[in-house]
Amino acid sequence: MNYNLKENHKLLTEFQYQPSKADKGYTNKSLYVNLSDNKIKEKEVTEMIKEKFIGGRGFGLWYLWNAVTPNTKWNDPENEIIISPGPVAGITQYPGSGKSLVVTLSPNTGTVVDSNVGGYFGPLLKFSGFDALEVQGKAENDVVVFIDGNKGIVTIEEAPEEAVDSHILAEQLTEIYSESEEDKKNISVVSAGTAAEHTTFGMLNFSFYDVRRKAVRLKQAGRGGIGTVLRDKKIKAVVVRFKGVKGDSNNPADFEKIAKTGVKLHKEICRLDDSQNRMRHNGTTFLAGIMNDYNLLPTENFRFGSHPDGKLLTAKEWIKYFDYNGKADGCWYGCTLGCAKVVCDFELTSGPYQGQKVVVDGPEYETIAAVGSNLGIFDKEYILEVNFYCDTYGIDTISFGTTTAFLMECYQNGIINKETTGGLELTFGNKEVALKLLHQMAKGEGFGKIAGLGIRKQKELFVKEYAADAEFLNDIGMECKGLEYAEYVSKESLVQQGGFGLANKGPQHDEAWLIFMDQVNNQLPTFEDKAEALHYFPMFRTWLGLVGMCKLVWNDIVPESNKDNEEPAKITEHVQNYVDLYNAVTGNNIDINGMLDQSEGVYQFQRVFNLRMGYGTREYDQVPYRSMGPVTLAEYQSLQEQYDAQLKELLGVEPEGKSSEEKMKLLRQYREGQYHKITDAVYERRGWTRNGIPTLETLKKFGMDFPELVEQVEKHQ
Amino acid sequence: MIKVNGRDFPWEEGLTVTKLLEKKNYTFPSIVIKINDKTISEDQWEIMAIEDGDDVKAIHLITGG
């Protein structure tokens, strides 16, 4: 059957090239594909680009900056999707070394967004001769872009017959473009799905072929609607084939150093993982129980942080479903932490694939919380089903969950009703309706079309169409900058409120996740401490996305010696590992401060990029009050003793004799004031004005004083 | 009264590190315990008594979701 699929491809263009070998982590070429005029070309990656932008997210930001204007919208042809793996990506000696970063203008936020992802595509792209792929323009009909890194051929092919949903499409294309069963591991497919066509929060799947299970597996670049951009460009998939990955394919400067650093971590994982987070067994599901225990698990649209049924979602409940045979389940070669869990032969109970037995990748913690507890649903098989359908339909589980949670709270407050939802009873806990809504999104039908708009547009719509109270919707709608919140209750951690609100792309936890350091450990007592943490951690974590490394091997395994470190939260030994790897691959010689400087340059660039697109000032860093404190009486009363004590201790107010409403108002005034203070402190630490704009001195300090950036910030000084 | 991570917490007779962790529902697997700045190894948690007025640090080694 698949042979016929290929026969029906129509070749639009073919580009031949001489694949460049990687040298010290870089091939020094990027690939540019334009779908509007079917032009393909190679570009030089200059020393300037490498020095200032390093790779990964940095390369994506630089190429996108040069592709768009301040007036470009996400669905304009000049918007690009850029995929770049970074210089360290593709080594096989150190766990977590196969990451790609994807950058585009986001349908959710209107400005630049980045999302990181595992799977084989990034490393295979590099070994095919390219440090980055830029795709611009729009095709007339559905196309596949195919890169054959061995033959040195790139094609754009109309592909009318293949499926759109990823679990089928990735299998079809893996079979079409591989030369044998043995060759399937050399294929990686980037695709979205049918729901990406009808929602603003479509995501990308990056495939890898699981040789042991003879199955195509999918990892996700979830945030910011990149899958929506992919389908808007009429791209069914981007496929890479490269045979010949070796341990030294990056041609590193110091292979011995990489091998030695890798062996040290492999031994550490083998020695300690079973007594720490058990990532090899649990994946990230271990967080669900922990978050529930510490009152941090979003429950019913972030109203609460815990639920008695949270115990049904703990890791020991999930491992019963996992197909785990004691060998590492990594999403790139050499990852002994192996957190990529899988459920095999899962029988679907709904939707177009009802009754079929499928492979489900995950679930990750974020998915469990987003589509489960945050909707008041604690049914594992429902979560697996939603996980599968979100993946194959190409939508982000976080945005789907957070959006549906918002809709459920709107429904329970009478803002929307059975009539406006077309009969869907969107009450917390209603799993059948959550699934129906998801299937509607895939078809672009019914209330699914409104659900697919995301929270920011829904708020505008509900105010306009249903005379909803805008202030209430702004309080409970968990989005910032247009991006839906990731799944952590931040009410009791001012630093985490800033970690979400002051992040460049919106409230995703991959910049700064500091709840335990702040709320539980109480290690950040002063505003100076808090601002320092909200400087160091975003800069460090941004760097991982420049070089192509995974965050999980930084702190989901912790060396014994770390407990004696003066700053245990930083896990400095592992940070030094990353620096050593970067130096060993590239031949550079930076230290941890040099690493942070590299990162900060790119971070400042991204902030100015936001400014250029009409955002990037203080007003866009404001967060919904639900992320700061109790919006409703029920929330206040659920932690009344704690809140009353805070009124006494922090405000010097005697709670006795005051109504709950009065106490809530006082608490709100205090917490909103605190958020402004942390905003000021962080801006100062990052070298920004009180309006959140990098100063000229800051740009100069990090070598980002390009005339076009200076022009942007001068307008606002 | 004792301090746990800088905050007041009621003391009771027979309080050990293990009992304190249970009371606080501190279930995270990687925690460093210090009592009055002295690190207490995990094999001592069951028997190590916490005295009234002690300053206890329970540092969770987690900084990333």
Side-chain angles (χ1 to χ4, degrees), chain A residues 489-717:
Chain A
V489 171
S490 56
K491 286 175 191 164
E492 303 309 311
S493 169
L494 180 59
V495 181
Q496 190 56 49
Q497 291 161 30
F500 281 136
L502 306 176
N504 260 333
K505 67 167 168 266
Q508 171 68 354
H509 57 285
D510 66 348
E511 269 200 15
W513 190 93
L514 300 164
I515 295 180
F516 273 75
M517 214 179 158
D518 184 34
Q519 178 179 328
V520 182
N521 295 346
N522 197 19
Q523 288 170 297
L524 305 168
T526 69
F527 276 98
E528 195 180 10
D529 297 328
K530 294 177 201 304
E532 185 56 37
L534 282 170
H535 181 260
Y536 173 85
F537 287 97
M539 296 314 150
F540 162 62
R541 294 181 68 151
T542 292
W543 190 85
L544 300 176
L546 304 184
V547 299
M549 299 291 294
C550 179
K551 162 262 156 194
L552 297 179
V553 294
W554 161 53
N555 72 344
D556 281 310
I557 186 77
V558 179
E560 295 97 333
S561 62
N562 194 63
K563 66 180 187 304
D564 302 320
N565 194 294
E566 277 184 17
E567 296 182 287
K570 290 184 175 176
I571 314 175
T572 310
E573 184 177 319
H574 287 177
V575 177
Q576 187 61 48
N577 284 354
Y578 287 125
V579 172
D580 291 345
L581 291 171
Y582 171 80
N583 287 336
V585 171
T586 62
N588 289 342
N589 185 24
I590 62 166
D591 58 14
I592 290 177
N593 288 329
M595 162 202 238
L596 296 174
D597 283 349
Q598 286 183 336
S599 201
E600 190 157 1
V602 175
Y603 197 88
Q604 302 290 357
F605 183 88
Q606 189 164 352
R607 184 71 176 183
V608 179
F609 203 153
N610 283 340
L611 195 63
R612 183 189 186 215
M613 300 310 294
Y615 305 89
T617 52
R618 191 178 185 114
E619 67 180 295
Y620 299 102
D621 290 339
Q622 300 310 300
V623 293
Y625 185 63
R626 174 63 57 75
S627 75
M628 289 186 218
V631 173
T632 61
L633 198 57
E635 289 165 83
Y636 192 94
Q637 287 170 341
S638 73
L639 293 171
Q640 179 155 343
E641 199 179 320
Q642 177 184 312
Y643 291 139
D644 282 358
Q646 287 177 7
L647 288 175
K648 253 185 189 174
E649 289 164 19
L650 302 172
L651 284 79
V653 169
E654 183 53 59
E656 212 166 296
K658 291 196 165 42
S659 69
S660 293
E661 286 76 9
E662 285 174 306
K663 290 189 287 186
M664 284 168 64
K665 191 176 173 187
L666 286 165
L667 190 69
R668 180 171 185 149
Q669 283 169 351
Y670 172 76
R671 291 191 172 196
E672 288 178 337
Q674 294 291 103
Y675 186 77
H676 282 297
K677 283 183 187 171
I678 190 72
T679 303
D680 285 337
V682 170
Y683 284 180
E684 189 179 343
R685 179 62 186 86
R686 291 181 183 174
W688 298 352
T689 68
R690 282 177 66 84
N691 196 25
I693 294 157
T695 65
L696 286 173
E697 291 71 28
T698 301
L699 293 187
K700 281 181 189 160
K701 183 178 173 187
F702 296 103
M704 283 292 163
D705 51 335
F706 297 105
E708 57 267 47
L709 271 75
V710 170
E711 184 192 338
Q712 289 300 324
V713 301
E714 274 182 340
K715 285 184 204 164
H716 294 83
Q717 297 291 326

Side-chain angles (χ1 to χ4, degrees), chain A residues 206-460:
Chain A
F206 279 51
S207 81
F208 67 100
Y209 188 71
D210 182 333
V211 174
R212 282 210 296 271
R213 298 180 182 87
K214 296 192 184 306
V216 173
R217 305 276 302 276
L218 302 172
K219 301 299 288 181
Q220 291 75 37
R223 306 310 325 266
I226 308 175
T228 301
V229 179
L230 189 92
R231 292 303 296 140
D232 182 67
K233 290 183 177 302
K234 290 198 179 290
I235 302 172
K236 259 190 184 166
V238 183
V239 185
V240 66
R241 174 182 178 269
F242 177 77
K243 181 183 177 184
V245 174
K246 293 183 180 142
D248 63 351
S249 289
N250 267 308
N251 193 18
D254 185 349
F255 182 81
E256 294 298 316
K257 180 77 177 172
I258 295 169
K260 197 174 155 193
T261 309
V263 166
K264 188 172 66 167
L265 188 66
H266 290 312
K267 285 183 176 172
E268 201 178 300
I269 289 168
C270 290
R271 200 168 59 245
L272 299 172
D273 182 54
D274 280 356
S275 61
Q276 294 184 4
N277 294 343
R278 296 177 58 79
M279 295 292 284
R280 292 177 301 177
H281 304 270
N282 301 335
T284 58
T285 64
F286 83 94
L287 275 169
I290 302 289
M291 294 301 121
N292 196 50
D293 287 345
Y294 287 79
N295 208 30
L296 297 168
L297 181 75
T299 305
E300 298 186 359
N301 194 29
F302 296 87
R303 290 197 293 174
F304 312 111
S306 184
H307 192 283
D309 288 342
K311 64 181 182 296
L312 301 174
L313 303 181
T314 58
K316 72 179 172 60
E317 299 294 327
W318 288 108
I319 57 175
K320 296 173 191 167
Y321 289 88
F322 292 153
D323 184 64
Y324 176 63
N325 59 7
K327 292 181 181 170
D329 269 316
C331 63
W332 176 243
Y333 300 111
C335 186
T336 39
L337 201 62
C339 71
K341 297 300 148 209
V342 62
V343 178
C344 295
D345 294 324
F346 180 75
E347 188 167 340
L348 298 166
T349 62
S350 71
Y353 310 113
Q354 184 176 3
Q356 293 183 19
K357 289 187 174 177
V358 295
V359 170
V360 188
D361 273 277
E364 303 280 356
Y365 161 74
E366 294 286 338
T367 300
I368 296 168
V371 312
S373 62
N374 212 9
L375 307 187
I377 304 171
F378 299 87
D379 179 322
K380 289 179 288 298
E381 299 200 356
Y382 148 85
I383 290 171
L384 286 171
E385 181 131 353
V386 173
N387 189 152
F388 169 80
Y389 272 114
C390 280
D391 287 355
T392 199
Y393 286 160
I395 58 173
D396 174 25
T397 53
I398 297 176
S399 281
F400 169 76
T402 300
T403 298
T404 306
F406 168 70
L407 292 172
M408 285 178 165
E409 192 167 356
C410 286
Y411 190 92
Q412 303 224 150
N413 280 278
I415 295 163
I416 53 176
N417 54 43
K418 217 169 167 179
E419 194 181 326
T420 49
T421 63
L424 298 179
E425 282 187 76
L426 275 163
T427 50
F428 287 118
N430 194 337
K431 60 187 181 184
E432 288 80 15
V433 161
L435 268 166
K436 272 186 192 167
L437 190 64
L438 178 56
H439 295 312
Q440 286 186 354
M441 286 182 188
K443 291 178 184 166
E445 287 179 359
F447 194 67
K449 280 192 287 191
I450 288 172
L453 294 172
I455 293 173
R456 177 159 286 195
K457 293 190 179 74
Q458 285 159 9
K459 288 192 296 188
E460 290 167 13

Side-chain angles (χ1 to χ4, degrees), chain B residues 1 5 10-11 15 27-28 30 46 52 56-57 60-61 64:
Chain B
M1 194 68 77
N5 291 343
W11 176 82
L15 188 65
T27 56
F28 187 69
S30 299
E46 286 275 0
D52 195 8
V56 181
K57 296 272 192 307
H60 295 62
L61 300 179

